[in-house]
Amino acid sequence: MRAAVIVFPGSNRERDIGRALKTASGVEPAYVWHTETELPRGTDLVVLPGGFSYGDYLRTGAIAARSPVMDAVRAHAARGGYALGVCNGFQIACEAGLLPGVLARNAGLKFICRFHHLRVERAGTAFTSEYQRHQAIKVCSAHGEGNYIADSDTLAALEGEGRVAFRYCDETGAVGGAANINGSMDDIAGIYSENLRVLGMMPHPENLIDPLVGGTDGLALFSSIAGAKAAA
Amino acid sequence: MKARVTVTLKNGVLDPQGKAIEGALKSLGIEGVASVRQGKVFDIELAGGDRAAAETALNAACEKLLANTVIENYRVEIA
């Protein structure tokens, strides 16, 4: 699998994503600076990593979403290419129109930085083939703006078309109440594009790939997408 | 020519920052505050004197960057 990790001024999780991709697929990704106008030839997967692109100025992800490289990323997605946005990358994907909705300030106003759980809403996508439906996986969040908001038509479409990828849950997989860490509508932690090939999610699966630092529940996401491409 | 663009949250969109400010104002003993909504103001200096062209450009600026129209409204005023 050929992956390209886009690097913006203020990105800071690109090496962690790279390590997760290398661990899962054996292949080091390309790192692509935001001023590039083309992706490396043969790119299968584009990753928008976490961080604080442009210092979160204006709105999180807003300025990065208008970077030169994003036209190439949109063209890649329009061709049916795979893309993954994590944390600030999810915010950028929404601002760039790759995914619907907005990530607003956490309902509790605090920056959230801790382990928590997600329920896998849909197994068998390119990103979740190695998970079970409704499996609770341990992940980590580190964000101040993760409160997912969309209008009622968009929410109905996401729910009706099975495009909610992950919901916040407790360690038993129960959704709702205090398990929703940031106030997101419908407990949404991650969503897919219509063709299920673009995934945006607030928590960091790349934090959970090594038993030394909390667990390995995130690794299956990267091995799923590596396997999806190998099979295609 | 000078312009001011005001970006505000749409009605019904939760504004936790506004709520926190509202709470702080009340705790300072400032009377009569019913609610607070936080927004953004952009003061923009425009080259050239064509008012209609400026309005078109500023509306494009709002749609493309200054506002996220999923959750925000904008207002353009040219001085």
Short mmCIF file of all heavy atoms in Angstrom, two decimals, chain A residues 21-84:
data_model
loop_
_atom_site.label_atom_id
_atom_site.label_comp_id
_atom_site.label_asym_id
_atom_site.label_seq_id
_atom_site.Cartn_x
_atom_site.Cartn_y
_atom_site.Cartn_z
N LEU A 21 1.37 3.04 10.11
CA LEU A 21 1.26 2.51 8.75
C LEU A 21 2.39 1.52 8.46
O LEU A 21 2.17 0.46 7.86
CB LEU A 21 1.29 3.65 7.73
CG LEU A 21 0.04 4.56 7.70
CD1 LEU A 21 0.33 5.83 6.90
CD2 LEU A 21 -1.14 3.81 7.09
N LYS A 22 3.60 1.88 8.89
CA LYS A 22 4.77 1.01 8.66
C LYS A 22 4.61 -0.29 9.42
O LYS A 22 4.88 -1.38 8.90
CB LYS A 22 6.03 1.76 9.12
CG LYS A 22 7.33 0.97 9.04
CD LYS A 22 7.97 1.09 7.68
CE LYS A 22 9.11 0.10 7.47
NZ LYS A 22 10.30 0.45 8.25
N THR A 23 4.12 -0.21 10.66
CA THR A 23 3.92 -1.41 11.47
C THR A 23 2.89 -2.33 10.82
O THR A 23 3.06 -3.55 10.79
CB THR A 23 3.44 -1.02 12.89
OG1 THR A 23 4.39 -0.12 13.45
CG2 THR A 23 3.30 -2.23 13.80
N ALA A 24 1.83 -1.74 10.27
CA ALA A 24 0.74 -2.54 9.72
C ALA A 24 1.04 -3.07 8.33
O ALA A 24 0.65 -4.19 7.98
CB ALA A 24 -0.55 -1.72 9.69
N SER A 25 1.73 -2.26 7.52
CA SER A 25 1.88 -2.63 6.11
C SER A 25 3.31 -2.96 5.72
O SER A 25 3.55 -3.51 4.64
CB SER A 25 1.39 -1.47 5.23
OG SER A 25 2.30 -0.38 5.29
N GLY A 26 4.27 -2.59 6.58
CA GLY A 26 5.67 -2.82 6.24
C GLY A 26 6.26 -1.76 5.34
O GLY A 26 7.43 -1.80 5.00
N VAL A 27 5.43 -0.81 4.93
CA VAL A 27 5.89 0.21 3.98
C VAL A 27 5.85 1.59 4.64
O VAL A 27 4.84 1.97 5.24
CB VAL A 27 5.01 0.23 2.71
CG1 VAL A 27 5.56 1.24 1.70
CG2 VAL A 27 4.93 -1.15 2.10
N GLU A 28 6.94 2.31 4.52
CA GLU A 28 7.02 3.68 5.04
C GLU A 28 6.18 4.59 4.12
O GLU A 28 6.28 4.49 2.90
CB GLU A 28 8.49 4.13 5.01
CG GLU A 28 8.78 5.43 5.72
CD GLU A 28 8.86 5.28 7.23
OE1 GLU A 28 9.39 4.25 7.72
OE2 GLU A 28 8.38 6.19 7.92
N PRO A 29 5.34 5.46 4.68
CA PRO A 29 4.57 6.36 3.81
C PRO A 29 5.44 7.51 3.30
O PRO A 29 6.52 7.76 3.84
CB PRO A 29 3.50 6.91 4.76
CG PRO A 29 4.14 6.89 6.10
CD PRO A 29 5.05 5.68 6.12
N ALA A 30 4.95 8.18 2.27
CA ALA A 30 5.58 9.43 1.83
C ALA A 30 5.03 10.55 2.69
O ALA A 30 3.87 10.50 3.11
CB ALA A 30 5.24 9.67 0.36
N TYR A 31 5.87 11.53 2.99
CA TYR A 31 5.40 12.72 3.69
C TYR A 31 5.32 13.86 2.68
O TYR A 31 6.31 14.14 1.99
CB TYR A 31 6.34 13.06 4.86
CG TYR A 31 6.32 12.00 5.92
CD1 TYR A 31 7.25 10.97 5.91
CD2 TYR A 31 5.34 12.00 6.91
CE1 TYR A 31 7.22 9.97 6.87
CE2 TYR A 31 5.30 11.00 7.87
CZ TYR A 31 6.24 10.00 7.84
OH TYR A 31 6.19 8.99 8.79
N VAL A 32 4.15 14.46 2.55
CA VAL A 32 3.91 15.43 1.48
C VAL A 32 3.61 16.80 2.10
O VAL A 32 2.66 16.94 2.89
CB VAL A 32 2.71 14.98 0.60
CG1 VAL A 32 2.42 16.01 -0.49
CG2 VAL A 32 3.00 13.61 -0.01
N TRP A 33 4.43 17.77 1.76
CA TRP A 33 4.28 19.12 2.30
C TRP A 33 3.05 19.78 1.68
O TRP A 33 2.71 19.54 0.52
CB TRP A 33 5.57 19.91 2.05
CG TRP A 33 5.68 21.27 2.66
CD1 TRP A 33 5.95 22.43 1.98
CD2 TRP A 33 5.56 21.64 4.04
NE1 TRP A 33 6.00 23.48 2.87
CE2 TRP A 33 5.77 23.04 4.12
CE3 TRP A 33 5.30 20.92 5.20
CZ2 TRP A 33 5.72 23.74 5.33
CZ3 TRP A 33 5.24 21.61 6.41
CH2 TRP A 33 5.45 23.00 6.47
N HIS A 34 2.39 20.63 2.45
CA HIS A 34 1.09 21.19 2.04
C HIS A 34 1.13 22.07 0.81
O HIS A 34 0.09 22.34 0.21
CB HIS A 34 0.50 21.99 3.21
CG HIS A 34 1.25 23.25 3.49
ND1 HIS A 34 0.68 24.49 3.36
CD2 HIS A 34 2.53 23.46 3.86
CE1 HIS A 34 1.60 25.41 3.65
NE2 HIS A 34 2.72 24.80 3.97
N THR A 35 2.32 22.53 0.41
CA THR A 35 2.39 23.39 -0.78
C THR A 35 2.47 22.59 -2.08
O THR A 35 2.39 23.17 -3.16
CB THR A 35 3.62 24.31 -0.71
OG1 THR A 35 4.78 23.50 -0.50
CG2 THR A 35 3.49 25.31 0.43
N GLU A 36 2.62 21.26 -1.98
CA GLU A 36 2.65 20.43 -3.19
C GLU A 36 1.29 20.50 -3.88
O GLU A 36 0.27 20.69 -3.23
CB GLU A 36 2.95 18.96 -2.83
CG GLU A 36 4.31 18.73 -2.21
CD GLU A 36 5.44 18.95 -3.20
OE1 GLU A 36 5.26 18.65 -4.39
OE2 GLU A 36 6.52 19.43 -2.76
N THR A 37 1.31 20.34 -5.22
CA THR A 37 0.04 20.36 -5.94
C THR A 37 -0.32 18.98 -6.47
O THR A 37 -1.39 18.80 -7.05
CB THR A 37 0.09 21.37 -7.10
OG1 THR A 37 1.23 21.07 -7.89
CG2 THR A 37 0.19 22.80 -6.57
N GLU A 38 0.58 18.01 -6.27
CA GLU A 38 0.28 16.65 -6.70
C GLU A 38 0.67 15.67 -5.60
O GLU A 38 1.60 15.93 -4.84
CB GLU A 38 1.08 16.29 -7.96
CG GLU A 38 0.52 16.92 -9.22
CD GLU A 38 1.39 16.58 -10.43
OE1 GLU A 38 1.94 15.46 -10.48
OE2 GLU A 38 1.52 17.46 -11.29
N LEU A 39 -0.02 14.52 -5.58
CA LEU A 39 0.36 13.44 -4.67
C LEU A 39 1.38 12.56 -5.37
O LEU A 39 1.42 12.54 -6.61
CB LEU A 39 -0.89 12.62 -4.31
CG LEU A 39 -1.99 13.38 -3.59
CD1 LEU A 39 -3.26 12.54 -3.52
CD2 LEU A 39 -1.53 13.78 -2.19
N PRO A 40 2.20 11.82 -4.62
CA PRO A 40 3.12 10.88 -5.28
C PRO A 40 2.33 9.91 -6.17
O PRO A 40 1.22 9.49 -5.80
CB PRO A 40 3.77 10.14 -4.11
CG PRO A 40 3.62 11.06 -2.94
CD PRO A 40 2.34 11.80 -3.16
N ARG A 41 2.92 9.59 -7.31
CA ARG A 41 2.24 8.69 -8.26
C ARG A 41 1.88 7.37 -7.57
O ARG A 41 2.69 6.80 -6.84
CB ARG A 41 3.18 8.43 -9.44
CG ARG A 41 2.54 7.74 -10.62
CD ARG A 41 3.56 7.59 -11.74
NE ARG A 41 3.98 8.90 -12.28
CZ ARG A 41 3.35 9.51 -13.30
NH1 ARG A 41 2.31 8.96 -13.87
NH2 ARG A 41 3.79 10.68 -13.73
N GLY A 42 0.67 6.90 -7.80
CA GLY A 42 0.26 5.61 -7.26
C GLY A 42 -0.17 5.64 -5.80
O GLY A 42 -0.25 4.59 -5.16
N THR A 43 -0.47 6.83 -5.26
CA THR A 43 -0.92 6.92 -3.87
C THR A 43 -2.28 6.22 -3.72
O THR A 43 -3.22 6.52 -4.45
CB THR A 43 -1.04 8.39 -3.44
OG1 THR A 43 0.25 8.99 -3.46
CG2 THR A 43 -1.64 8.52 -2.04
N ASP A 44 -2.35 5.27 -2.77
CA ASP A 44 -3.61 4.57 -2.50
C ASP A 44 -4.38 5.22 -1.36
O ASP A 44 -5.61 5.26 -1.38
CB ASP A 44 -3.32 3.12 -2.09
CG ASP A 44 -2.53 2.36 -3.13
OD1 ASP A 44 -2.97 2.34 -4.29
OD2 ASP A 44 -1.46 1.81 -2.79
N LEU A 45 -3.64 5.68 -0.37
CA LEU A 45 -4.26 6.22 0.85
C LEU A 45 -3.62 7.57 1.19
O LEU A 45 -2.39 7.67 1.25
CB LEU A 45 -4.03 5.25 2.02
CG LEU A 45 -4.37 5.77 3.43
CD1 LEU A 45 -5.88 5.89 3.61
CD2 LEU A 45 -3.79 4.85 4.50
N VAL A 46 -4.46 8.57 1.41
CA VAL A 46 -3.99 9.86 1.91
C VAL A 46 -4.36 9.96 3.38
O VAL A 46 -5.49 9.65 3.74
CB VAL A 46 -4.63 11.03 1.14
CG1 VAL A 46 -4.30 12.37 1.79
CG2 VAL A 46 -4.17 11.03 -0.32
N VAL A 47 -3.41 10.38 4.21
CA VAL A 47 -3.73 10.59 5.62
C VAL A 47 -3.52 12.06 5.98
O VAL A 47 -2.48 12.64 5.68
CB VAL A 47 -2.87 9.70 6.55
CG1 VAL A 47 -3.30 9.91 8.01
CG2 VAL A 47 -2.99 8.24 6.17
N LEU A 48 -4.54 12.64 6.59
CA LEU A 48 -4.44 13.99 7.16
C LEU A 48 -4.22 13.77 8.66
O LEU A 48 -5.12 13.29 9.36
CB LEU A 48 -5.73 14.78 6.91
CG LEU A 48 -6.15 14.91 5.45
CD1 LEU A 48 -7.55 15.53 5.34
CD2 LEU A 48 -5.15 15.74 4.67
N PRO A 49 -3.02 14.08 9.16
CA PRO A 49 -2.70 13.73 10.55
C PRO A 49 -3.19 14.77 11.55
O PRO A 49 -3.65 15.86 11.18
CB PRO A 49 -1.17 13.68 10.53
CG PRO A 49 -0.79 14.71 9.52
CD PRO A 49 -1.88 14.71 8.47
N GLY A 50 -3.03 14.44 12.81
CA GLY A 50 -3.42 15.36 13.87
C GLY A 50 -2.39 16.45 14.10
O GLY A 50 -1.30 16.43 13.53
N GLY A 51 -2.77 17.40 14.93
CA GLY A 51 -1.88 18.51 15.25
C GLY A 51 -2.68 19.78 15.43
O GLY A 51 -3.87 19.73 15.79
N PHE A 52 -2.00 20.88 15.18
CA PHE A 52 -2.66 22.19 15.33
C PHE A 52 -2.29 23.03 14.11
O PHE A 52 -1.58 24.03 14.21
CB PHE A 52 -2.20 22.87 16.63
CG PHE A 52 -2.58 22.09 17.85
CD1 PHE A 52 -1.77 21.09 18.33
CD2 PHE A 52 -3.79 22.34 18.49
CE1 PHE A 52 -2.14 20.34 19.45
CE2 PHE A 52 -4.16 21.60 19.60
CZ PHE A 52 -3.34 20.61 20.08
N SER A 53 -2.75 22.58 12.94
CA SER A 53 -2.36 23.26 11.70
C SER A 53 -2.73 24.74 11.79
O SER A 53 -3.83 25.09 12.22
CB SER A 53 -3.03 22.60 10.49
OG SER A 53 -4.43 22.62 10.62
N TYR A 54 -1.77 25.57 11.40
CA TYR A 54 -1.96 27.03 11.44
C TYR A 54 -2.42 27.52 12.80
O TYR A 54 -3.18 28.49 12.92
CB TYR A 54 -2.92 27.49 10.33
CG TYR A 54 -2.34 27.33 8.96
CD1 TYR A 54 -2.55 26.16 8.24
CD2 TYR A 54 -1.54 28.31 8.39
CE1 TYR A 54 -1.98 25.98 6.98
CE2 TYR A 54 -0.96 28.15 7.14
CZ TYR A 54 -1.19 26.98 6.45
OH TYR A 54 -0.62 26.80 5.21
N GLY A 55 -1.97 26.83 13.85
CA GLY A 55 -2.29 27.28 15.20
C GLY A 55 -3.77 27.31 15.50
O GLY A 55 -4.20 28.02 16.41
N ASP A 56 -4.57 26.53 14.72
CA ASP A 56 -6.03 26.55 14.89
C ASP A 56 -6.62 27.94 14.62
O ASP A 56 -7.75 28.23 15.07
CB ASP A 56 -6.47 26.08 16.29
CG ASP A 56 -6.36 24.57 16.48
OD1 ASP A 56 -6.22 23.85 15.46
OD2 ASP A 56 -6.44 24.11 17.62
N TYR A 57 -5.90 28.79 13.92
CA TYR A 57 -6.41 30.14 13.63
C TYR A 57 -7.70 30.07 12.82
O TYR A 57 -7.90 29.18 12.02
CB TYR A 57 -5.37 30.95 12.85
CG TYR A 57 -4.14 31.35 13.65
CD1 TYR A 57 -3.10 32.02 13.03
CD2 TYR A 57 -4.02 31.04 15.00
CE1 TYR A 57 -1.96 32.39 13.75
CE2 TYR A 57 -2.89 31.40 15.72
CZ TYR A 57 -1.86 32.07 15.09
OH TYR A 57 -0.74 32.42 15.80
N LEU A 58 -8.54 31.04 13.00
CA LEU A 58 -9.86 31.20 12.37
C LEU A 58 -10.83 30.13 12.86
O LEU A 58 -11.72 30.43 13.63
CB LEU A 58 -9.76 31.22 10.84
CG LEU A 58 -11.07 31.55 10.13
CD1 LEU A 58 -11.56 32.94 10.46
CD2 LEU A 58 -10.91 31.39 8.61
N ARG A 59 -10.70 28.90 12.38
CA ARG A 59 -11.41 27.74 12.92
C ARG A 59 -10.46 26.56 12.75
O ARG A 59 -9.65 26.54 11.83
CB ARG A 59 -12.71 27.44 12.12
CG ARG A 59 -13.76 28.52 12.15
CD ARG A 59 -14.96 28.12 11.27
NE ARG A 59 -14.57 27.83 9.89
CZ ARG A 59 -14.42 28.74 8.94
NH1 ARG A 59 -14.66 30.01 9.17
NH2 ARG A 59 -14.04 28.39 7.72
N THR A 60 -10.59 25.54 13.59
CA THR A 60 -9.67 24.40 13.47
C THR A 60 -9.78 23.81 12.07
O THR A 60 -10.87 23.51 11.59
CB THR A 60 -9.99 23.31 14.50
OG1 THR A 60 -11.37 22.98 14.39
CG2 THR A 60 -9.71 23.81 15.91
N GLY A 61 -8.63 23.66 11.41
CA GLY A 61 -8.59 23.03 10.09
C GLY A 61 -8.94 23.94 8.94
O GLY A 61 -8.77 23.57 7.77
N ALA A 62 -9.44 25.15 9.23
CA ALA A 62 -9.99 26.00 8.16
C ALA A 62 -8.94 26.43 7.15
O ALA A 62 -9.17 26.40 5.94
CB ALA A 62 -10.67 27.24 8.77
N ILE A 63 -7.78 26.82 7.63
CA ILE A 63 -6.77 27.35 6.71
C ILE A 63 -6.05 26.20 6.00
O ILE A 63 -5.82 26.25 4.80
CB ILE A 63 -5.82 28.31 7.45
CG1 ILE A 63 -6.66 29.50 7.97
CG2 ILE A 63 -4.70 28.80 6.54
CD1 ILE A 63 -5.89 30.52 8.76
N ALA A 64 -5.76 25.13 6.73
CA ALA A 64 -5.15 23.95 6.10
C ALA A 64 -6.04 23.41 4.98
O ALA A 64 -5.54 22.96 3.95
CB ALA A 64 -4.91 22.87 7.15
N ALA A 65 -7.36 23.48 5.19
CA ALA A 65 -8.29 22.94 4.19
C ALA A 65 -8.21 23.69 2.86
O ALA A 65 -8.63 23.17 1.83
CB ALA A 65 -9.72 22.99 4.72
N ARG A 66 -7.67 24.91 2.89
CA ARG A 66 -7.52 25.71 1.66
C ARG A 66 -6.09 25.67 1.14
O ARG A 66 -5.72 26.49 0.29
CB ARG A 66 -7.95 27.15 1.91
CG ARG A 66 -9.47 27.40 1.86
CD ARG A 66 -10.16 27.05 3.14
NE ARG A 66 -11.61 27.27 3.13
CZ ARG A 66 -12.40 26.85 4.11
NH1 ARG A 66 -11.92 26.20 5.16
NH2 ARG A 66 -13.70 27.06 4.03
N SER A 67 -5.26 24.75 1.62
CA SER A 67 -3.87 24.63 1.15
C SER A 67 -3.85 24.12 -0.28
O SER A 67 -4.76 23.41 -0.71
CB SER A 67 -3.11 23.61 2.01
OG SER A 67 -3.00 24.04 3.31
N PRO A 68 -2.76 24.42 -1.01
CA PRO A 68 -2.65 23.94 -2.40
C PRO A 68 -2.84 22.43 -2.53
O PRO A 68 -3.53 21.97 -3.45
CB PRO A 68 -1.23 24.35 -2.80
CG PRO A 68 -0.94 25.54 -1.94
CD PRO A 68 -1.65 25.31 -0.64
N VAL A 69 -2.28 21.64 -1.62
CA VAL A 69 -2.32 20.18 -1.77
C VAL A 69 -3.75 19.63 -1.67
O VAL A 69 -4.04 18.54 -2.16
CB VAL A 69 -1.42 19.50 -0.71
CG1 VAL A 69 -2.06 19.52 0.67
CG2 VAL A 69 -1.05 18.08 -1.11
N MET A 70 -4.66 20.41 -1.07
CA MET A 70 -6.00 19.86 -0.83
C MET A 70 -6.79 19.65 -2.12
O MET A 70 -7.69 18.81 -2.17
CB MET A 70 -6.77 20.72 0.17
CG MET A 70 -6.23 20.63 1.60
SD MET A 70 -6.09 18.94 2.25
CE MET A 70 -7.82 18.48 2.36
N ASP A 71 -6.47 20.39 -3.18
CA ASP A 71 -7.13 20.11 -4.47
C ASP A 71 -6.78 18.71 -4.94
O ASP A 71 -7.63 17.97 -5.45
CB ASP A 71 -6.72 21.15 -5.52
CG ASP A 71 -7.42 22.49 -5.30
OD1 ASP A 71 -8.51 22.51 -4.69
OD2 ASP A 71 -6.85 23.52 -5.73
N ALA A 72 -5.49 18.35 -4.76
CA ALA A 72 -5.05 16.99 -5.15
C ALA A 72 -5.71 15.94 -4.26
O ALA A 72 -6.06 14.85 -4.73
CB ALA A 72 -3.54 16.89 -5.06
N VAL A 73 -5.89 16.27 -2.99
CA VAL A 73 -6.53 15.32 -2.07
C VAL A 73 -8.00 15.13 -2.45
O VAL A 73 -8.52 14.01 -2.47
CB VAL A 73 -6.39 15.79 -0.60
CG1 VAL A 73 -7.17 14.89 0.34
CG2 VAL A 73 -4.92 15.82 -0.20
N ARG A 74 -8.68 16.25 -2.77
CA ARG A 74 -10.08 16.14 -3.21
C ARG A 74 -10.20 15.34 -4.49
O ARG A 74 -11.11 14.52 -4.65
CB ARG A 74 -10.69 17.54 -3.39
CG ARG A 74 -11.29 18.11 -2.10
CD ARG A 74 -12.05 19.40 -2.38
NE ARG A 74 -11.10 20.47 -2.66
CZ ARG A 74 -10.68 21.33 -1.73
NH1 ARG A 74 -11.16 21.28 -0.52
NH2 ARG A 74 -9.79 22.25 -2.04
N ALA A 75 -9.26 15.54 -5.42
CA ALA A 75 -9.29 14.79 -6.69
C ALA A 75 -9.06 13.30 -6.41
O ALA A 75 -9.73 12.44 -7.01
CB ALA A 75 -8.22 15.33 -7.64
N HIS A 76 -8.16 12.99 -5.50
CA HIS A 76 -7.89 11.60 -5.10
C HIS A 76 -9.16 10.95 -4.53
O HIS A 76 -9.52 9.83 -4.91
CB HIS A 76 -6.76 11.61 -4.05
CG HIS A 76 -6.58 10.34 -3.30
ND1 HIS A 76 -5.85 9.28 -3.78
CD2 HIS A 76 -7.03 9.96 -2.07
CE1 HIS A 76 -5.87 8.30 -2.90
NE2 HIS A 76 -6.57 8.68 -1.85
N ALA A 77 -9.85 11.68 -3.66
CA ALA A 77 -11.09 11.15 -3.07
C ALA A 77 -12.17 10.99 -4.14
O ALA A 77 -12.92 10.00 -4.14
CB ALA A 77 -11.56 12.06 -1.94
N ALA A 78 -12.24 11.96 -5.06
CA ALA A 78 -13.27 11.90 -6.12
C ALA A 78 -13.02 10.71 -7.04
O ALA A 78 -13.97 10.15 -7.60
CB ALA A 78 -13.27 13.20 -6.92
N ARG A 79 -11.76 10.31 -7.18
CA ARG A 79 -11.43 9.12 -7.99
C ARG A 79 -11.73 7.82 -7.25
O ARG A 79 -11.53 6.73 -7.78
CB ARG A 79 -9.92 9.10 -8.30
CG ARG A 79 -9.47 10.01 -9.43
CD ARG A 79 -8.04 9.65 -9.87
NE ARG A 79 -7.06 9.75 -8.81
CZ ARG A 79 -6.39 10.87 -8.52
NH1 ARG A 79 -6.63 11.98 -9.19
NH2 ARG A 79 -5.51 10.88 -7.55
N GLY A 80 -12.14 7.92 -5.99
CA GLY A 80 -12.40 6.71 -5.21
C GLY A 80 -11.22 6.27 -4.37
O GLY A 80 -11.20 5.16 -3.85
N GLY A 81 -10.22 7.15 -4.24
CA GLY A 81 -9.06 6.82 -3.40
C GLY A 81 -9.43 6.83 -1.92
O GLY A 81 -10.40 7.46 -1.52
N TYR A 82 -8.63 6.11 -1.13
CA TYR A 82 -8.87 6.07 0.31
C TYR A 82 -8.25 7.29 0.99
O TYR A 82 -7.18 7.76 0.59
CB TYR A 82 -8.23 4.82 0.93
CG TYR A 82 -8.88 3.53 0.49
CD1 TYR A 82 -8.21 2.62 -0.34
CD2 TYR A 82 -10.16 3.21 0.91
CE1 TYR A 82 -8.81 1.44 -0.75
CE2 TYR A 82 -10.77 2.03 0.51
CZ TYR A 82 -10.09 1.15 -0.32
OH TYR A 82 -10.68 -0.02 -0.71
N ALA A 83 -8.94 7.80 2.01
CA ALA A 83 -8.38 8.90 2.80
C ALA A 83 -8.81 8.73 4.25
O ALA A 83 -9.91 8.25 4.54
CB ALA A 83 -8.85 10.25 2.26
N LEU A 84 -7.90 9.11 5.14
CA LEU A 84 -8.16 9.03 6.58
C LEU A 84 -7.76 10.36 7.21
O LEU A 84 -6.64 10.83 7.01
CB LEU A 84 -7.31 7.89 7.19
CG LEU A 84 -7.23 7.82 8.71
CD1 LEU A 84 -8.59 7.51 9.32
CD2 LEU A 84 -6.20 6.77 9.15
#
